[in-house]
Amino acid sequence: MHYRKIIGAIIGYLSCFLSVVSMSKPVLKVIDIHNAKIDMVLNYDKKASITSLIVGGQKVINSADGIFTSVTIDGTVYSSLHLTGSPVLIKTGNIIKLSGIHYGVIAENWIFTISGQSIKWSIERSTAKNIKIDEAALPEFNFDSINTWDGAYQGYGGLAWFYLFNEKLCTYGIHTTSSNFWNSKTGNGLNISVNAAGKNVAMKYTRTNEDKLAYAITVSDKELGFKLDSGTNRRRFLRGRTDVWAPFNIAGASSESITLSYFNFNEKYGRGKFKGVDGAKVSAVLNTIARIGVIDSLHFGGNSWATPYGPICLHEQYIAQLGLAINDPDYLKGDQSCLDYYCDHAIKPDGRVYPRWAYTNEDAMPGKFNQYGFYEAQWGILMDSNPDLVTNITEMYDMTGDKNWVKGKQQSCEKALDWILKRDSNNNGLVEMMTDNSAQKRSSDWIDIVWASYENAFVNAKLYHALIKWAAIEHQLNNETKATYYAGFAAKLKASFNKPIENGGFWDAENGCYDYWRDKDQTIHGRNMVTPVNFMAIAYGICDDDARKKIILDNIEAQMKKENLFFWPLAMYGYAPGEAKQSQYPFPSYENGDLFLSWGSIAVKAYADYKPALAVKYVKNVLEQYSKDGLAFQRYGRIKQDGLGDDILSGNSLAIVGLYQAVYGINPLYNRFYLDPHITPELAGTRLNYNFRGKRLIISLDSGSYSVSDKIFKVAANTSFGFNTIKDQLSYFNGSSAAVSLQVKSITPLTIAIQNWSPGKMVWIQSIGKSAPSLLNYLIYQLKPNTDYSFFVDGKPVKKLRSNNRGELIISYHPKSVAEQISISNEN
């Protein structure tokens, strides 16, 4: 009994103690904010921070400082992680408001609006006075690891590729309003978009000392400038530090909204089903290395933003072409804006186009640069920047079909072309460089430490390509005078280019190749099979002699086999003494014989028209190399075939661009999608997804049968053709013709399988959907005017029709069955 009293007393005492402890225990101030794909935990206990973030079931943030806001003033950091009191939280339906967030001189309210597709985080911010900010994170996301995401696509189509953040405190800052983070292993994607009316948005990515990924958004009244380097202030990528942005001021009240939404990476960026090549590697190359030359929203080039001095070469004709295979509408929009910027800031008053831009002026000729960072290179006047700017504009026009935009570039393109066309002093159609001979030791093109001078085949080949493409646009813009002038100059250039070297041309019968250049004294140089010169001559249509093509391509392949090279070198053999910088000897060394992948697209095109299997062979080699090293180099050595150089080039992806354009035959053109495949048997069965002007096309490639379809219409044929749809109208273009051959209107799904298309007879199979057939209205073009034609269905005559005076035939027909053969023939 005595013991029971003691035990009872102890129990009573403990109960009382636990009750007191329980009453004094603070209430945990956290709230879960989530929808079906995104789940975050907000902590508002004397702080305001998101401590957990789960995306598609993948935990990407799990720390006390997960997501927060902060400013640094005079070296002191003030943040929402440390508040003097707890904010007040009110939840009303799908809206959560956290008010009373005060740190330093900053006052904020956070409002979260939850929907099925996204979580919108609005921040209302105010300051009592104008304040100079050293740095700001408004907000900052601290992802658990630098490997949480593969990378982040920018709103303008560029890429923060975290593979290149290969040491602590790598930092990259750019101007954009959105980031698409993705993880290729889980397939999860997170889009973060910022809307701040009247403000400028910048973003910064850092690999922290703890190997986390810090992602900071900054909103400012003026566009943020860069802190480094002193005197130029253009450096976007830093190593060993995080202060990429220059100080700026904030004052008064402002607001921004940050929208977080989930996407499935494979659905959003999936390219389809590949046969004969590793589709995962194809996608990986185009998703990463192809984009790294985009340095910022107005700076598109070939060199990575991680390159120490961050150069952009405006004398690269393939920057817009990369967009063909990247196939991201954001890249196209971004490069359009970039080309606008180049036309405004990189063209001198006389029409000369600066060939380069960089973080610093270290690569520039003394005093030969402007305030925007464009400059003449120290190696010589690199002439190919003039035609290459024009080519990039024409390629972009083909991909977007934006006629108003290209018309706005007309003056700039004419100015750039006219400047270089004046360099033809002897009127032979070949423009001349600024130097007369190689003894002057100055370069004139992309191969910048080889002393090409006077009449340069490399530059003239690029010029021919630009002239042909721009002349066609002048015709579309109804400037027949300029169209005729540029086309005529191109024809003269081609004729001279193809002449034997003994007659003033570049064809070297003895060596079986087009030579690189001729000095003014008529001495011939670069007789060592310089591959870009010869590949461009074939790919751009300068060389239309099949015998010459065979000699060039067979000779190159023979040497490739002999050395067992995985990719084509810049030159098959060595330059003669004095033709290049002394550091380039002995052969092979750098530009004197190393492997530069940036010429892959023209090489693949040259072989795709001749022996597609060889084109595919080298595409596969590049894909295999990507799996080994990510192609994260400038070039590959000839002897060991090892990656060399810290100028990582997006051009390393161009063989894969060539796969898309020349082998698969994908060619978006200004008024149609043109399909011209050169597939090998092993590629048969390939099914590709392709974004084309707001629509998702499906391209099917089989042996002897190709098709293009959207949600309503499909065209199939066994030869090349063009395809375009607008609402309920399908347009078919026969072969490479830019003029429409057949149009049909239908409100139900319709497939047209072309069986024959010749001037006197056109035959196709029409297949309609299972729903009730609707009236089909056909319009056939390019017929003989005022001529009688017979209309057959399944071989039976239906009626006779007569073309109008424009050579057009109109047929209205109500299908009788799901599939019918339609024939139109000329009775004459």
Side-chain angles (χ1 to χ4, degrees):
M1 191 73 177
H2 175 69
Y3 291 108
R4 290 179 183 174
K5 287 183 178 181
I6 293 174
I7 292 171
I10 291 172
I11 291 173
Y13 173 79
L14 288 173
S15 297
C16 182
F17 174 77
L18 292 173
S19 177
V20 171
V21 170
S22 177
M23 289 174 61
S24 62
K25 183 179 179 179
V27 177
L28 192 61
K29 294 186 175 182
V30 297
I31 187 169
D32 187 70
I33 304 171
H34 67 275
N35 61 16
K37 290 293 186 179
I38 299 174
D39 191 316
M40 60 176 68
V41 175
L42 173 64
N43 186 321
Y44 57 101
D45 186 6
K46 292 189 178 180
K47 64 169 63 175
S49 70
I50 294 167
T51 57
S52 172
L53 178 62
I54 300 172
V55 178
Q58 175 189 352
K59 181 159 278 192
V60 297
I61 290 176
N62 184 29
S63 63
D65 63 346
I67 309 174
F68 62 94
T69 56
S70 74
V71 295
T72 303
I73 303 171
D74 293 330
T76 301
V77 179
Y78 304 92
S79 83
S80 66
L81 294 174
H82 304 285
L83 307 178
T84 55
S86 292
V88 177
L89 184 139
I90 300 174
K91 185 177 187 301
T92 307
N94 66 328
I95 298 174
I96 297 168
K97 182 172 183 179
L98 189 66
S99 58
I101 302 169
H102 298 279
Y103 56 94
V105 294
I106 304 294
E108 292 178 343
N109 297 320
W110 295 0
I111 303 101
F112 297 89
T113 305
I114 306 165
S115 71
Q117 301 299 316
S118 64
I119 296 176
K120 181 179 177 181
W121 175 13
S122 300
I123 302 176
E124 300 169 345
R125 183 176 298 113
S126 64
T127 60
K129 57 182 179 179
N130 190 311
I131 307 160
K132 184 177 182 180
I133 302 295
D134 298 334
E135 286 190 271
L138 306 170
E140 177 174 309
F141 293 67
N142 283 304
F143 294 107
D144 285 348
S145 167
I146 190 67
N147 299 315
T148 296
W149 306 109
D150 293 34
Y153 295 132
Q154 309 307 307
Y156 50 80
L159 167 68
W161 190 20
F162 305 132
Y163 176 82
L164 299 183
F165 286 52
N166 53 9
E167 60 185 67
K168 298 176 191 296
L169 301 186
C170 283
T171 301
Y172 179 40
I174 38 79
H175 301 93
T176 186
T177 59
S178 70
S179 284
N180 279 329
F181 295 89
W182 91 96
N183 184 306
S184 59
K185 294 182 178 64
T186 66
N188 289 322
L190 174 64
N191 173 264
I192 300 178
S193 298
V194 181
N195 183 11
K199 303 291 182 180
N200 290 271
V201 179
M203 297 181 180
K204 180 176 78 169
Y205 308 85
T206 299
R207 178 173 183 166
T208 70
N209 277 318
E210 297 78 29
D211 289 325
K212 292 186 175 185
L213 171 63
Y215 161 63
I217 297 167
T218 303
V219 177
S220 58
D221 291 332
K222 296 181 180 179
E223 182 178 273
L224 284 189
F226 297 93
K227 191 172 184 178
L228 299 176
D229 299 296
S230 178
T232 55
N233 304 101
R234 297 189 290 266
R235 186 173 295 278
R236 270 79 170 164
F237 184 72
L238 309 178
R239 290 188 180 274
R241 57 194 297 175
T242 65
D243 54 341
V244 68
W245 301 118
F248 65 101
N249 284 34
I250 62 173
S254 65
S255 65
E256 64 179 298
S257 64
I258 302 141
T259 302
L260 286 74
S261 56
Y262 173 86
F263 65 88
N264 182 297
F265 175 72
N266 297 317
E267 290 179 3
K268 185 176 179 68
Y269 295 101
R271 295 179 176 273
K273 182 178 74 172
F274 292 82
K275 293 288 186 178
V277 296
D278 190 323
K281 291 175 184 176
V282 169
S283 296
V285 170
L286 297 176
N287 289 339
T288 57
I289 201 75
R291 297 182 186 245
I292 61 169
V294 183
I295 290 179
D296 204 343
S297 59
L298 298 175
H299 295 82
F300 282 50
N303 294 68
S304 162
W305 37 262
T307 305
Y309 70 102
I312 288 173
C313 293
L314 277 72
H315 55 122
E316 290 177 332
Q317 77 276 34
Y318 43 70
I319 304 305
Q321 184 191 16
L322 288 167
L324 180 148
I326 290 172
N327 194 220
D328 180 353
D330 288 340
Y331 183 96
L332 301 185
K333 291 176 186 175
D335 196 23
Q336 270 191 300
S337 296
C338 168
L339 290 167
D340 290 341
Y341 185 78
Y342 287 177
C343 286
D344 291 341
H345 300 299
I347 303 178
K348 298 170 74 173
D350 65 353
R352 169 64 180 149
V353 178
Y354 280 112
R356 293 186 179 176
W357 176 96
Y359 293 155
T360 67
N361 295 330
E362 63 192 87
D363 183 48
M365 284 185 184
K368 299 295 184 179
F369 50 83
N370 68 15
Q371 68 190 90
Y372 305 104
F374 298 101
Y375 63 90
E376 295 285 3
Q378 61 180 313
W379 309 109
I381 302 299
L382 310 181
M383 303 278 283
D384 42 349
S385 56
N386 275 63
D388 287 355
L389 177 64
V390 176
T391 294
N392 277 299
I393 288 171
T394 63
E395 297 273 8
M396 184 54 58
Y397 171 53
D398 268 340
M399 283 183 278
T400 65
D402 190 340
K403 193 170 183 178
N404 288 332
W405 177 79
V406 81
K407 183 171 179 58
K409 301 281 115 13
Q410 187 173 15
Q411 184 177 0
S412 294
C413 289
E414 290 175 354
K415 195 174 180 180
L417 287 175
D418 292 349
W419 181 89
I420 195 169
L421 295 185
K422 292 175 185 176
R423 297 290 307 167
D424 180 22
S425 65
N426 57 10
N427 200 34
N428 69 345
L430 299 173
V431 298
E432 298 128 13
M433 307 302 101
M434 292 298 187
T435 50
D436 291 339
N437 59 75
S438 54
Q440 292 173 265
K441 297 184 187 236
R442 307 297 285 168
S443 61
S444 55
D445 62 51
W446 190 91
I447 309 175
D448 58 7
I449 48 177
V450 173
W451 311 136
S453 68
Y454 200 58
E455 290 177 345
N456 175 336
F458 184 101
V459 171
N460 275 281
K462 285 184 163 188
L463 176 59
Y464 176 83
H465 187 54
L467 285 169
I468 290 295
K469 292 183 74 68
W470 185 254
I473 292 174
E474 289 283 7
H475 175 71
Q476 292 177 45
L477 298 177
N478 298 315
N479 189 341
E480 294 302 331
T481 300
K482 280 289 191 181
T484 302
Y485 170 57
Y486 293 134
F489 199 108
K492 184 186 288 188
L493 187 162
K494 178 177 179 176
S496 292
F497 194 106
N498 279 305
K499 289 179 181 178
I501 53 175
E502 298 82 6
N503 298 333
F506 293 118
W507 177 248
D508 185 338
E510 179 184 352
N511 290 298
C513 66
Y514 289 97
D515 292 338
Y516 190 174
W517 80 90
R518 163 186 276 100
D519 280 350
K520 192 171 184 178
D521 65 5
Q522 301 305 300
T523 305
I524 304 300
H525 296 274
R527 303 182 70 184
N528 51 324
M529 186 69 84
V530 178
T531 53
V533 168
N534 287 274
F535 286 145
M536 283 193 287
I538 296 171
Y540 293 161
I542 299 171
C543 176
D544 47 20
D545 183 322
D546 289 340
R548 286 185 181 180
K549 291 179 186 178
K550 178 176 171 53
I551 290 169
I552 292 168
L553 297 175
D554 285 353
N555 286 348
I556 290 175
E557 179 58 13
Q559 190 64 25
M560 295 291 288
K561 284 183 176 179
K562 183 177 179 179
E563 296 186 53
N564 194 29
L565 299 177
F566 88 90
F567 196 80
W568 301 282
L570 211 50
M572 296 309 298
Y573 313 103
Y575 284 101
E579 290 185 336
K581 197 173 188 288
Q582 190 57 42
S583 62
Q584 302 303 284
Y585 300 92
F587 171 85
S589 177
Y590 192 45
E591 292 181 359
N592 188 11
D594 275 354
L595 283 56
F596 282 79
L597 277 60
S598 290
W599 298 97
S601 64
I602 57 166
V604 168
K605 179 169 176 53
Y607 277 104
D609 289 339
Y610 175 55
K611 291 182 178 179
L614 287 177
V616 174
K617 168 187 170 181
Y618 291 102
V619 166
K620 287 183 175 181
N621 288 349
V622 171
L623 294 175
E624 180 60 27
Q625 194 64 39
Y626 178 84
S627 68
K628 296 176 182 177
D629 60 22
L631 303 178
F633 297 97
Q634 179 202 46
R635 68 191 190 282
Y636 288 82
R638 179 78 163 258
I639 304 299
K640 298 180 180 179
Q641 300 192 61
D642 52 337
L644 301 171
D646 56 13
D647 290 3
I648 303 170
L649 304 181
S650 62
N652 290 345
S653 68
L654 279 164
I656 315 307
V657 176
L659 171 69
Y660 260 65
Q661 186 170 30
V663 178
Y664 294 150
I666 292 174
N667 289 272
L669 297 177
Y670 71 97
N671 67 339
R672 65 201 185 281
F673 178 89
Y674 175 52
L675 187 65
D676 182 25
H678 295 80
I679 64 169
T680 59
E682 64 182 325
L683 303 182
T686 296
R687 303 284 183 270
L688 301 174
N689 302 322
Y690 198 80
N691 298 314
F692 181 69
R693 296 179 197 158
K695 296 180 180 180
R696 187 82 152 175
L697 303 183
I698 298 174
I699 296 97
S700 297
L701 304 172
D702 293 297
S703 296
S705 177
Y706 322 117
S707 69
V708 179
S709 62
D710 61 15
K711 290 182 178 180
I712 299 177
F713 294 108
K714 179 178 180 178
V715 171
N718 59 8
T719 60
S720 63
F721 65 90
F723 172 98
N724 195 40
T725 60
I726 302 173
K727 294 182 179 179
D728 61 350
Q729 177 177 285
L730 165 67
S731 296
Y732 163 75
F733 299 76
N734 184 47
S736 61
S737 174
V740 65
S741 302
L742 169 72
Q743 281 183 343
V744 57
K745 288 193 173 184
S746 175
I747 60 173
T748 57
L750 173 68
T751 295
I752 300 292
I754 304 297
Q755 295 187 313
N756 181 78
W757 202 275
S758 59
K761 189 173 184 179
M762 291 133 280
V763 184
W764 66 92
I765 301 289
Q766 68 178 27
S767 301
I768 58 176
K770 294 181 180 179
S771 59
S774 62
L775 182 69
L776 298 180
N777 295 298
Y778 285 108
L779 180 56
I780 304 171
Y781 296 86
Q782 302 181 62
L783 303 176
K784 292 181 180 179
N786 304 312
T787 302
D788 291 329
Y789 287 85
S790 295
F791 173 40
F792 297 83
V793 176
D794 289 335
K796 299 176 181 179
V798 176
K799 58 183 172 180
K800 294 182 179 180
L801 301 163
R802 188 173 181 81
S803 62
N804 62 25
N805 58 9
R806 295 187 299 274
E808 300 167 349
L809 197 63
I810 300 171
I811 304 173
S812 293
Y813 175 69
H814 203 294
K816 303 298 188 295
S817 61
V818 172
E820 295 174 308
Q821 183 190 65
I822 306 297
S823 301
I824 307 293
S825 65
N826 178 4
E827 292 184 337
N828 297 324

